[in-house]
Amino acid sequence: MKIIIAGAGEVGFHLAKLLSYESHDITLIDPEKENLYYADTHLDIRTMRGDGTSIKILKDSNVDQANLVIAVTSSETTNITISVLAKQLGAKRTIARISNTEFLESQEELGFKGFGIDELISPESLASKEIELLLNQSAFNDSYEFEKGALTMVGVNLTRTAQFVGKSVQQAGEIFPEVHFMPIAIQRFGTQYTLIPRGDTQFKEGDQVYFVTTPGGVDELYKLTGKTKRAMKNVMILGGSAIGEQSARQLAKSGIHVKLIELNPEKAFDLADRLPDTLVISGDGRNVELLQEESIHEMDAFIAVTGNSETNIISCLMAKSKSVGKTISLVENMDYFQLSHSIGIDTLINKKLLAANNIFRYIRKGEVVAMTKLNNMNAELLEFIVKPESDVCNKRIIDVNVPRSAIIGGVIREGKGNIVLGNFKILEGDRVVVCCLPRSITRVEKLFQ
């Protein structure tokens, strides 16, 4: 696939890096030489120095042959312009990064597709939604919803109180026959190895396990994993960034008492005007005395979303030491993901990864309608729509040649989520959720083409 990425910032470089590993034909455009240097010397891609809104630059990048143009510069206006021009010059599909969430809320009404933009993405909005979902599933450290919650993926770290520790997947299924969840990936404690579970795979203490579950299965998982769902009443947010502001607005709408701490006094006053239902405090969130004065020990969750990853991590550790039940930290360095559970932070989120997940579904073959990468694990979770000509159509799961490094986690049929076993017959129009390791992605895609 020929892909043009305009903008070699954090999101653009991360996308170029991930896509280059999959042997796509990537062209990365940026006006700054420094932004392109590292990509040019470390990635197997083509780089072009120039303005992505230049028609000459776009033509020189062979935009008329592009399957996908992704505009992710720091300027919303530039991204919209690039997408419109690229479409007019022959690009098959365009994606623009935006920061104004009103565009997302009104994209159908405004008809962005009509003038050449196929998809709008906002990393900040994606991060805010991720935070809201994580707080809703408070005992889990990762989550993702398919079809508004018809199926939900949740990640949990198994403690010795989990009822199926020491049992195999098959034994757990026999003990809990009314199964409403399916284990789809396991990472053993202290390793970076991702395991797709089979019937004889044993659950062990310290495992990071991902499940796909129906709405009713979430409560079962709480009980069986020994976790407790805590009602979120009081939440403290550190950092008045776009993510902090959006999160505060959404959480306050759901009736949660929100305190937001912002270091810059002028910005804090502006936020107080825009967030009438949030208590905005001007101060340094790294100050222990300030946090204690603002009753951090009474908080159900602490969310650190400043522009500094280290500040966010240290602040979350401080909150954890004050017995805050749930901590979420925004980080920019992907390497930090490997440290999250060992240092005691519940969840790390990364804008680049969220944006990449959202964009990747346009690159996968077959009709992929949703996709996410599992945090700190070498696996992808994809939702395919079954077409009449798909290999899986009108077949029982047991008769489908699913690779051993992949597993069908569930099927959504007519809006209802189903946890399915071998005798379940897949029909046209079904939405099938599959978890797979990178080496099996091509084979899985062929099943749904």
Side-chain angles (χ1 to χ4, degrees), residues 363-366 384 441-449:
I363 293 148
R364 295 282 170 244
K365 293 170 185 169
F384 293 94
I441 283 173
T442 304
R443 286 177 63 192
V444 169
E445 287 174 340
K446 285 179 180 174
L447 294 173
F448 293 90
Q449 281 181 350

Side-chain angles (χ1 to χ4, degrees), residues 153-426:
M153 178 274 291
V154 293
V156 63
N157 196 260
L158 294 187
T159 60
R160 70 181 70 177
T161 57
Q163 293 185 33
F164 38 69
V165 163
K167 297 178 176 65
S168 69
V169 172
Q170 186 175 352
Q171 288 170 332
E174 289 166 358
I175 296 168
F176 314 111
E178 293 300 315
V179 63
H180 295 103
F181 53 86
M182 173 78 73
I184 56 166
I186 297 175
Q187 187 179 75
R188 297 293 189 207
F189 179 73
T191 74
Q192 294 301 310
Y193 179 66
T194 303
L195 189 68
I196 300 295
R198 295 291 163 191
D200 58 354
T201 305
Q202 192 176 63
F203 295 108
K204 296 182 180 180
E205 183 183 348
D207 282 352
Q208 172 69 17
V209 185
Y210 284 86
F211 296 91
V212 168
T213 177
T214 59
V218 172
D219 291 334
E220 291 176 10
L221 275 173
Y222 274 115
K223 190 163 55 179
L224 296 173
T225 55
K227 304 287 183 180
T228 306
K229 183 170 183 175
R230 302 178 63 170
M232 290 289 154
K233 295 178 182 175
N234 301 295
V235 173
M236 184 177 285
I237 299 174
L238 177 63
S241 59
I243 297 171
E245 182 177 351
Q246 283 187 49
S247 297
R249 183 174 287 110
Q250 289 305 119
L251 294 174
K253 273 184 190 174
S254 10
I256 293 172
H257 298 113
V258 182
K259 290 184 178 181
L260 189 152
I261 301 176
E262 168 54 43
L263 181 61
N264 184 313
E266 191 176 334
K267 190 173 183 181
F269 279 110
D270 287 342
L271 286 167
D273 287 338
R274 295 200 298 269
L275 299 169
D277 298 323
T278 296
L279 176 60
V280 180
I281 299 146
S282 175
D284 188 344
R286 296 167 296 185
N287 185 323
V288 181
E289 288 183 7
L290 173 65
L291 295 178
Q292 288 176 331
E293 281 173 17
E294 295 303 330
S295 309
I296 189 169
H297 58 282
E298 294 178 2
M299 295 296 135
D300 299 303
F302 183 88
I303 303 162
V305 287
T306 73
N308 186 292
S309 300
E310 289 74 20
T311 295
N312 295 340
I313 289 171
I314 295 299
S315 302
C316 280
L317 292 174
M318 160 90 64
K320 211 66 181 171
S321 74
K322 301 298 179 185
S323 302
V324 175
K326 182 86 171 178
T327 53
I328 300 172
S329 172
L330 177 72
V331 297
E332 293 305 320
N333 190 332
M334 300 290 288
D335 295 334
Y336 287 154
F337 272 85
Q338 298 174 10
L339 302 172
S340 61
H341 303 309
S342 59
I343 63 177
I345 295 173
D346 295 305
T347 307
L348 299 181
I349 57 174
N350 179 282
K351 290 188 296 183
K352 295 179 285 189
L353 188 60
L354 291 168
N357 287 348
N358 202 265
I359 289 167
F360 254 80
R361 61 194 168 108
Y362 297 101
I363 293 148
R364 295 282 170 244
K365 293 170 185 169
E367 195 165 348
V368 179
V369 288
M371 191 221 125
T372 186
K373 282 179 178 287
L374 305 186
N375 275 357
N376 196 27
M377 293 178 82
N378 194 25
E380 290 185 14
L381 197 57
L382 304 108
E383 179 188 355
F384 293 94
I385 295 179
V386 178
K387 297 182 282 192
E389 64 273 18
S390 300
D391 272 359
V392 298
C393 193
N394 297 318
K395 284 185 181 175
R396 295 183 308 161
I397 289 175
I398 200 169
D399 299 323
V400 177
N401 188 22
V402 179
R404 282 195 64 80
S405 51
I407 187 170
I408 293 177
V411 174
I412 300 169
R413 180 173 291 168
E414 296 177 354
K416 184 178 178 236
N418 300 275
I419 300 302
V420 296
L421 300 175
N423 285 321
F424 186 90
K425 190 175 183 180
I426 297 172

Side-chain angles (χ1 to χ4, degrees), residues 6-12 29-32 35 71-80 82 97-100 123-124:
E10 293 171 348
V11 176
I29 301 172
D30 196 276
E32 300 296 329
N35 290 350
V72 285
T73 74
S74 56
S75 166
E76 177 178 76
T77 308
T78 300
N79 295 336
I80 290 172
I82 291 169
R97 173 185 178 175
I98 52 106
S99 52
N100 186 344
E124 294 76 19

